[in-house]
Amino acid sequence: MEKKNVSFIYLAITLMIMTFSMRATNNMIITTVPLLAKIDLGFSSFFVGIISAVIYLFTFTVTFYVNPRINAKLRRQLFIGANFAILFSLIAYYFTNGIAIWGISALAGLAYGIMMPNLITSSTLLKDQKERERLISLYSVGLSLSLILGPTIEDYILTFVSYRDVFLLFIPIVIAGVIVSTMIKFPHTKNETRANVMKNDGLRASLLTITTYNIPFAALSIFLTLYAIARFHVSGAVAYSPYIYFFSISFLTRILLTIHPLKHIKLPLLFSIMITGFALIMFPFLTTFTSFLLLMMLLGIPHGSIFPMSTIMIARGTSVEQRSAANSYFMAYNNILFMVIPLAFGYIVKFIGYEYSFLILIAPVILSAVALFKIYGSNTTIFISNLKKVPPNAISGKKNDL
């Protein structure tokens, strides 16, 4: 087997294991801590919301203020340490009380603030652009797979254990991440910089791109089940089922992008944005739960495509020296969306209901799309792959460079 193929396979396996460990556990913590706080510790709904926001707040703090300002050697050490911190957090959540849960949640948020942007960066370092973008898509596949299997695992184990026990039963998944974290590769460069990164076209275009989808998804991730119950009068278990179809289509979309990396991403991106807009328009007109399931399956396409296309824009538009900072700012922006949008959406719902609240989300989708294509539509570096162009200091793909 050629060294290049060995390199890609090695990176792919370690990246998939690490991504699954990180995202499956992250999703479990985000969804289970509110239940633990409400049911076990007796928190009010207000404080349940605050404890959830604490995790996102500390993740944002690290991704925006800390990660872009540290060198690759320290970042790698913190990345490994962050995996140990998550392992400690799971044990601590099992023994927690109403006071300790705040500190544990802050620690978990800090750890994920280190882990998330650096995993993205590690998926963008191959010199060969086609292989690099295939690895980015594979990273996205790992995210989708974790969002399918993680909730499935938790749903199963909750049939015979308590919410506290769930944290302990996810420890084997985290241990796999701890082991593999020592194998994850970081860029070999002494000149990392965050100077002018916020002015980089690749980063700015990626922020506009992810806005076209993550604004509606931030609302859906919190209110989808409540909407299904209110609109179609189904049970809580049935109301949760659309996530399965949604993430399954997202997973298949990302598999396709991994097998066939996109050279030109403008038209596929436009198509994905149009699907998002169409789905938001349809919310007030849904009459059956089946039609809702079909709509969620349709939304799985842009969910599966827009995130990898956003990260590809960063990979195409930045040098290796800029990429860690760019990915950090990208993840920080996503954390802002997931803190702000649910709060705003929940406030609007009180006045106009779920259906029309989803409908008005089309406004920021359209505005972001118009700005994206008007400002960066002619930028061939971002939208068209140039396989002959090699970003500075990229990994060559040889085993010795890993």
Side-chain angles (χ1 to χ4, degrees):
M1 186 180 292
E2 294 182 1
K3 288 183 178 180
K4 177 180 176 181
N5 292 332
V6 172
S7 169
F8 179 84
I9 293 171
Y10 173 84
L11 287 170
I13 292 174
T14 55
L15 185 67
M16 283 290 286
I17 294 173
M18 187 68 253
T19 301
F20 179 82
S21 173
M22 181 273 294
R23 191 65 180 96
T25 310
N26 171 255
N27 185 70
M28 182 277 290
I29 289 176
I30 289 171
T31 58
T32 308
V33 165
L35 297 173
L36 176 66
K38 179 73 174 178
I39 297 172
D40 233 44
L41 301 177
F43 280 26
S44 67
S45 297
F46 174 75
F47 280 104
V48 168
I50 296 298
I51 194 68
S52 299
V54 163
I55 300 174
Y56 283 113
L57 177 62
F58 277 85
T59 299
F60 164 77
T61 300
V62 175
T63 54
F64 191 83
Y65 291 106
V66 179
N67 198 61
R69 291 170 168 80
I70 57 180
N71 60 49
K73 182 179 180 180
L74 178 58
R75 191 181 299 114
R76 184 175 186 275
Q77 294 170 346
L78 290 176
F79 181 84
I80 296 171
N83 281 271
F84 280 98
I86 294 300
L87 178 60
F88 170 80
S89 296
L90 295 190
I91 299 171
Y93 272 127
Y94 178 77
F95 294 102
T96 194
N97 56 34
I99 297 175
I101 193 172
W102 297 96
I104 300 167
S105 297
L107 176 64
L110 290 171
Y112 285 122
I114 288 291
M115 294 165 69
M116 290 180 173
N118 286 300
L119 264 182
I120 298 178
T121 301
S122 69
S123 70
T124 66
L125 299 177
L126 284 173
K127 181 177 292 186
D128 183 274
Q129 182 165 342
K130 187 175 182 179
E131 294 294 279
R132 183 169 68 249
E133 294 182 3
R134 178 174 280 124
L135 199 62
I136 292 171
S137 296
L138 189 63
Y139 163 74
S140 300
V141 168
L143 293 177
S144 290
L145 185 63
S146 65
L147 290 174
I148 295 172
L149 296 182
T152 301
I153 294 170
E154 183 172 0
D155 184 62
Y156 172 71
I157 61 181
L158 276 174
T159 60
F160 55 87
V161 301
S162 69
Y163 292 121
R164 286 181 183 267
D165 295 329
V166 170
F167 294 100
L168 294 184
L169 291 174
F170 265 73
I171 284 178
I173 297 176
V174 177
I175 289 176
V178 169
I179 295 171
V180 175
S181 67
T182 62
M183 308 174 190
I184 294 294
K185 301 305 173 182
F186 282 66
H188 298 292
T189 176
K190 298 179 180 180
N191 301 308
E192 287 188 332
T193 179
R194 59 187 175 89
N196 299 317
V197 170
M198 292 298 293
K199 297 179 181 180
N200 181 273
D201 286 352
L203 175 60
R204 289 186 171 185
S206 74
L207 296 180
L208 288 170
T209 299
I210 202 66
T211 301
T212 65
Y213 191 77
N214 263 1
I215 283 184
F217 179 59
L220 282 167
S221 65
I222 302 298
F223 293 100
L224 181 148
T225 302
L226 295 174
Y227 165 75
I229 294 172
R231 181 67 187 267
F232 305 109
H233 309 291
V234 295
S235 68
V238 173
Y240 187 80
S241 64
Y243 284 119
I244 299 173
Y245 299 95
F246 173 78
F247 286 121
S248 295
I249 296 299
S250 174
F251 172 74
L252 293 174
T253 302
R254 291 177 177 181
I255 284 285
L256 181 62
L257 291 177
T258 302
I259 297 172
H260 299 289
L262 295 172
K263 181 177 181 180
H264 301 267
I265 63 176
K266 184 184 293 185
L267 288 180
L269 176 57
L270 180 60
F271 178 68
S272 294
I273 294 172
M274 290 174 65
I275 290 177
T276 303
F278 170 77
L280 294 174
I281 290 172
M282 291 302 298
F283 268 94
F285 305 103
L286 297 175
T287 57
T288 65
F289 186 70
T290 300
S291 64
F292 177 53
L293 288 179
L294 293 173
L295 194 68
M296 290 307 299
M297 291 174 69
L298 188 64
L299 277 170
I301 297 174
H303 182 269
S305 61
I306 288 180
F307 179 83
M309 284 191 276
S310 299
T311 52
I312 285 172
M313 286 178 174
I314 293 175
R316 290 180 179 180
T318 61
S319 65
V320 173
E321 291 88 350
Q322 298 174 310
R323 201 161 296 148
S324 179
N327 285 324
S328 294
Y329 292 138
F330 175 77
M331 292 305 299
Y333 176 71
N334 279 276
N335 280 307
I336 291 174
L337 292 181
F338 276 85
M339 283 191 291
V340 173
I341 297 302
L343 293 175
F345 187 87
Y347 180 78
I348 295 171
V349 164
K350 295 189 298 183
F351 300 99
I352 61 176
Y354 287 108
E355 295 86 355
Y356 291 100
S357 295
F358 280 117
L359 178 61
I360 66 172
L361 291 180
I362 197 173
V365 171
I366 292 175
L367 289 174
S368 301
V370 169
L372 171 67
F373 290 110
K374 183 176 181 180
I375 299 172
Y376 302 106
S378 60
N379 190 316
T380 56
T381 300
I382 297 171
F383 283 108
I384 301 176
S385 172
N386 181 359
L387 298 180
K388 295 181 180 180
K389 181 180 179 181
V390 179
N393 299 325
I395 293 175
S396 67
K398 296 181 180 179
K399 185 69 175 177
N400 292 336
D401 289 336
L402 293 175

